[in-house]
Amino acid sequence: MNRIRKRKTFRTLALCLAAGLLAVSCQEGAKPRKLTVEQLDYNDSLVYAAMDSDYNEALLLVDSLEDVHALYDAKICFYRAQIYFKMGQELSAELYYKKALAGNALREERPSIYYYAYDQLSTILTIKGDQQGALATATEGYAKVKDDETDTGQHWKSILLHDIGYCQMQLGRVEEAEKNFTHAYNTLKRLAMQTKKYDNIYSWARVAYNIMDAYTSTGNYDKAEKWVLAAEEAITKLVESPKCPKKTAEEYLGSLNTHRAIVYVKTGQKAEAEAAYQQFLRSPYSNTNIGLVDNSEYLEIAERWNDLANLTPRLDSLASAWGMPKSMYYLKTYLVPFFNAYQKSGRQEKALSIAQRIADSVDSIDSYERKHNAAELAIIYETQEKENKIKEQAASLSEQRILSVAGGLVLVLTFFVIFLYHKFNAARKLAEKNEELEKKNDALTIANARAEESSRMKTNFIRQISHEIRTPLNILNGFTQVLTSHSDDITDSEKSDIQHRITENTERITELINKMLELSEASSHTVIERTDEVTGTEIASDAIQHSGITKATHIRFDMEDRDGAGKLLFKTNIRYATRALALLLDNAQKFTKTGSARLLLSRQDAHMAFIVEDTGIGIPPEESEHIFGEFVQLDEYYDGTGIGLAVARSIVRRLGGDIVLDTTYTGGSRFIMTLPIEK
């Protein structure tokens, strides 16, 4: 270990020495000098060599090059953005990409890396879930390159147009995305066929693959089939290229087959889907770690739960080997599919074990995300503080030069005037800075208060989720022990009751997990497609069944259809609409200890209205908007996670409607859910 550390230290010192030699002609405090193309290329090679070795070494080298003015500011920011992105620190990468793109320095030196920075920044914002920001960034980059008719310009126009299309797909703007995808694909195909360059062929294949993935990841399986064929054409050309590495060829072909199988199975072409899946299994790619993940995604989408359950132990070992932190991504991508696979394949004991791991993971998610974000913010603040010090030093140096020159040229009277001027100017600046500092302190106080409130609500939510999951887990654990240790002494009626209770509590755990996953959609603005032609009565019936309100013994429930409004046909998404209404019914059931609840169907102008009334504890008018916030519970003595209303409103607004509280109703609570009537 010590020998390894010594080698790393020596290599770091050597890189720093090389950076110092590049600036041997620069005096301390000198202005950045104009560098030649050869010098810039040499500096680039140093940085990329360090990035291949160690990211921390690369950051140290970039700092050294900055200190001796061997790189200009925009290039420094560009390199830091690349390094932080590879380190998984998206906040820092986003900050530096934006700084690198602030001027035209990158574009003047090398347009390709300027357009590449726009592409990477759009990718980072997409990963963060900021689809609108990603779309704006890609659009701005496209506007910068659209007049460049060279091969390089057309290449990057296609890449950025593909970025725009990907964002549009995530936002539900399928027709616009289709046009942009088609133009980007055709342009890259033409460049690849004309130039025969490997880089152009690779870009064509990569973009074709991403377009295919955009359609499958958003559930547009019918339109995805033609893009599977388009991706196959591009990937075939890539694989046939002598410069294509064997590993790259295997990865693209293997993943192409899993996407093909997914599209076929979702469009009812079962034989073709099985053939594509078997072709994937015969490929070397299926035995790799990434191939194993592709395999699990197909099995989950195809609902082949028994096969997925058999694959789960290997996936679990892989996730452990990767050392994935306990985050919502880990919970959603790995543990929840594990739980579904075991539960839906009838392996209840293993499903119970995974459910326990989910409960344990929930406790550490908040702590991990807080530490992860704090680490990135610390880097950002440290960087800003360093830049401020550099500016202060530069300003101080400039002022000293002015004073020294003035000292040899002016008379005593001029000195006196300058002294008075600087004194007045310093006093004014000091007053301005004090005022600015007071404003920042006020803003910081408000931000801290909001952060404390957010932390408190998240802590309460995690505690509530842990309690909600552990209660049915304890019940399941008790019944499992009874079944395994006293099975001969249990009567048939007792076994039937135990099986009913096990099923009931398993469904309770599943519902809690679904709520946790729906929480990630509460702040989403993605439009939900409305292609189902249904009636209000169908939505109401499904929601009543899913909520179980008719089975509740502590309240009376009835449904009323005013003027036959429930028979009116209109277009919406029945699954999402049903889920939102079920959450409102569940809310009425939960907060009405005794009394009644009812669902009224009515037409309000161009909207179908679902009105849920109850005789429960009621909600003060001043809380009419606050209750739709995440983790909000006005009465903590009632069970619940405080996210149901937030999820319900988010779903309905993405369907083009809304949910509001009727503050004029005094007999309890009345929620009005409206959906647009679109024939």
Side-chain angles (χ1 to χ4, degrees):
M1 182 64 72
N2 289 333
R3 292 168 61 189
I4 294 174
R5 286 177 179 170
K6 288 178 180 178
R7 284 200 298 271
K8 281 195 171 185
T9 302
F10 177 77
R11 186 165 59 249
T12 301
L13 291 174
L15 289 171
C16 292
L17 178 60
L21 291 174
L22 285 172
V24 68
S25 62
C26 292
Q27 298 178 353
E28 184 178 358
K31 294 182 179 180
R33 55 194 169 85
K34 184 71 174 179
L35 300 172
T36 65
V37 174
E38 291 75 15
Q39 288 171 324
L40 288 170
D41 288 343
Y42 180 65
N43 295 344
D44 289 345
S45 66
L46 285 177
V47 175
Y48 284 118
M51 288 173 63
D52 290 339
S53 174
D54 183 274
Y55 295 137
N56 290 318
E57 276 190 16
L59 285 174
L60 178 61
L61 175 60
V62 171
D63 288 342
S64 301
L65 292 170
E66 180 184 27
D67 290 341
V68 297
H69 307 298
L71 286 174
Y72 56 93
D73 290 344
K75 198 65 171 291
I76 290 289
C77 292
F78 175 77
Y79 282 136
R80 283 182 179 148
Q82 283 190 292
I83 297 169
Y84 281 126
F85 186 48
K86 290 178 181 294
M87 294 171 70
Q89 298 181 15
E90 288 85 4
L91 286 177
S92 301
E94 178 185 351
L95 170 72
Y96 281 113
Y97 271 129
K98 287 180 178 178
K99 287 186 175 183
L101 292 170
N104 284 320
L106 276 180
R107 190 177 190 179
E108 291 172 359
E109 182 209 337
R110 194 169 300 164
S112 59
I113 65 172
Y114 181 72
Y115 305 136
Y116 173 76
Y118 272 107
D119 174 50
Q120 289 295 92
L121 180 56
S122 177
T123 299
I124 291 171
L125 295 174
T126 299
I127 293 172
K128 286 177 57 181
D130 182 7
Q131 303 300 339
Q132 293 288 358
L135 178 59
T137 299
T139 302
E140 180 181 326
Y142 180 79
K144 297 287 182 67
V145 72
K146 69 176 182 178
D147 295 329
D148 188 345
E149 294 302 326
T150 65
D151 285 352
T152 299
Q154 293 185 58
H155 173 269
W156 281 108
K157 272 193 287 189
S158 301
I159 297 292
L160 291 166
L161 200 60
H162 136 270
D163 289 340
I164 293 171
Y166 199 94
C167 296
Q168 290 169 333
M169 283 292 293
Q170 302 301 316
L171 293 170
R173 295 157 58 178
V174 180
E175 293 184 0
E176 297 175 59
E178 176 85 13
K179 293 179 181 178
N180 290 327
F181 281 155
T182 301
H183 185 75
Y185 178 89
N186 290 337
T187 301
L188 289 172
K189 178 180 178 180
R190 178 177 56 78
L191 287 174
M193 293 300 190
Q194 287 178 351
T195 64
K196 307 297 183 182
K197 292 181 179 179
Y198 176 74
D199 289 346
N200 287 335
I201 297 174
Y202 179 80
S203 295
W204 176 33
R206 182 175 71 88
V207 165
Y209 176 89
N210 287 344
I211 295 173
M212 171 183 66
D213 185 70
Y215 278 89
T216 57
S217 65
T218 54
N220 290 281
Y221 300 110
D222 292 335
K223 295 183 179 180
E225 189 168 356
K226 78 168 187 178
W227 287 108
V228 170
L229 298 175
E232 182 178 13
E233 179 186 9
I235 291 171
T236 300
K237 290 294 183 182
L238 175 67
V239 172
E240 291 173 352
S241 173
K243 293 185 178 180
C244 181
K246 182 179 179 182
K247 182 179 179 181
T248 300
E250 292 175 351
E251 288 178 351
Y252 269 94
L253 289 173
S255 193
L256 173 66
N257 280 319
T258 58
H259 279 76
R260 182 188 287 120
I262 288 171
V263 172
Y264 284 152
V265 79
K266 296 303 288 188
T267 54
Q269 304 176 62
K270 295 183 178 179
E272 291 82 353
E274 182 61 24
Y277 179 60
Q278 291 300 324
Q279 188 174 355
F280 160 75
L281 291 178
R282 289 191 296 270
S283 68
Y285 174 69
S286 65
N287 296 319
T288 64
N289 291 340
I290 303 300
L292 181 64
V293 174
D294 273 7
N295 194 355
S296 68
E297 289 178 354
Y298 168 73
L299 294 176
E300 183 178 8
I301 291 174
E303 298 183 359
R304 295 174 56 167
W305 304 114
N306 197 54
D307 292 337
L308 182 57
N310 293 334
L311 202 65
T312 292
R314 291 178 60 195
L315 287 165
D316 201 4
S317 299
L318 178 61
S320 299
W322 280 344
M324 299 193 68
K326 300 300 185 293
S327 62
M328 285 299 294
Y329 175 81
Y330 170 75
L331 191 72
K332 181 178 180 180
T333 307
Y334 291 94
L335 290 187
V336 172
F338 294 170
F339 173 81
N340 288 335
Y342 284 139
Q343 183 209 3
K344 294 180 181 180
S345 63
R347 309 180 193 188
Q348 298 299 336
E349 289 188 14
K350 291 186 176 181
L352 182 63
S353 174
I354 295 297
Q356 182 64 57
R357 286 175 59 186
I358 290 174
D360 294 339
S361 297
V362 168
D363 292 333
S364 61
I365 286 174
D366 184 60
S367 175
Y368 161 76
E369 292 187 345
R370 193 180 303 163
K371 290 180 181 178
H372 179 75
N373 291 336
E376 291 203 16
L377 288 173
I379 291 175
I380 293 174
Y381 292 147
E382 181 182 351
T383 300
Q384 291 175 338
E385 183 179 355
K386 179 180 177 182
E387 291 176 350
N388 289 336
K389 286 183 178 179
I390 292 173
K391 289 179 180 178
E392 289 175 2
Q393 291 173 356
S396 176
L397 208 60
S398 176
E399 185 178 355
Q400 290 175 11
R401 288 197 188 100
I402 293 173
L403 290 175
S404 63
V405 171
L409 299 176
V410 299
L411 302 172
V412 175
L413 181 60
T414 308
F415 269 113
F416 181 70
V417 172
I418 291 176
F419 171 75
L420 290 178
Y421 169 76
H422 279 285
K423 184 176 181 180
F424 172 78
N425 195 39
R428 181 179 58 80
K429 287 184 178 179
L430 182 60
E432 291 176 352
K433 287 190 175 182
N434 286 336
E435 184 180 353
E436 183 181 354
L437 184 59
E438 288 179 2
K439 291 181 180 178
K440 288 184 177 180
N441 285 337
D442 292 340
L444 183 60
T445 300
I446 296 172
N448 285 338
R450 290 177 178 172
E452 289 175 2
E453 176 65 13
S454 176
S455 177
R456 185 190 67 78
M457 290 192 298
K458 285 185 180 179
T459 300
N460 290 340
F461 169 72
I462 290 173
R463 288 175 181 169
Q464 185 67 31
I465 282 293
S466 298
H467 169 74
E468 293 272 358
I469 291 181
R470 287 195 175 95
T471 298
L473 280 177
N474 290 333
I475 295 174
L476 291 174
N477 187 39
F479 281 130
T480 302
Q481 292 179 7
V482 170
L483 288 174
T484 55
S485 59
H486 305 288
S487 59
D488 295 333
D489 300 332
I490 302 174
T491 65
D492 291 340
S493 62
E494 290 174 335
K495 286 183 179 180
S496 177
D497 181 64
I498 289 173
Q499 289 173 354
H500 173 73
R501 297 288 294 277
I502 288 175
T503 301
E504 183 180 62
N505 284 279
T506 299
E507 291 175 351
R508 184 177 175 186
I509 294 174
T510 303
E511 178 67 12
L512 284 168
I513 292 172
N514 287 337
K515 279 190 176 182
M516 291 166 62
L517 294 179
E518 286 177 334
L519 177 61
S520 65
E521 293 188 353
S523 59
S524 174
H525 300 288
T526 303
V527 176
I528 300 173
E529 288 191 350
R530 294 175 284 166
T531 56
D532 301 324
E533 191 169 24
V534 298
T535 65
T537 302
E538 291 178 84
I539 295 174
S541 299
D542 289 350
I544 291 169
Q545 180 181 358
H546 289 162
S547 68
I549 195 170
T550 56
K551 299 177 183 178
T553 58
H554 63 288
I555 60 172
R556 300 184 311 278
F557 174 77
D558 63 275
M559 185 181 84
E560 178 183 346
D561 183 0
R562 292 180 176 174
D563 303 325
K567 298 179 182 179
L568 182 65
L569 279 171
F570 63 99
K571 285 188 177 181
T572 188
N573 188 305
I574 188 171
R575 181 169 70 88
Y576 280 96
T578 299
R579 179 58 181 161
L581 183 56
L583 287 170
L584 292 182
L585 293 173
D586 182 63
N587 188 72
Q589 181 182 175
K590 186 180 300 176
F591 294 99
T592 305
K593 288 187 175 180
T594 58
S596 63
R598 68 171 178 163
L599 171 61
L600 295 91
L601 275 60
S602 174
R603 179 169 182 173
Q604 296 182 356
D605 298 328
H607 289 80
M608 181 71 195
F610 301 84
I611 305 171
V612 179
E613 296 179 353
D614 64 62
T615 59
I617 61 175
I619 299 168
E622 62 270 18
E623 298 288 344
S624 61
E625 284 301 314
H626 182 225
I627 56 171
F628 290 100
E630 298 172 8
F631 317 117
V632 173
Q633 280 188 281
L634 300 183
D635 192 334
E636 297 183 353
Y637 290 99
Y638 284 79
D639 292 336
T641 57
I643 63 174
L645 291 178
V647 172
R649 173 178 269 191
S650 173
I651 290 173
V652 173
R653 285 184 171 178
R654 290 157 60 203
L655 287 171
D658 203 357
I659 297 178
V660 297
L661 175 71
D662 186 355
T663 56
T664 64
Y665 185 74
T666 58
S669 298
R670 174 190 285 161
F671 289 91
I672 302 175
M673 168 178 148
T674 55
L675 293 174
I677 298 175
E678 181 180 340
K679 294 184 179 180

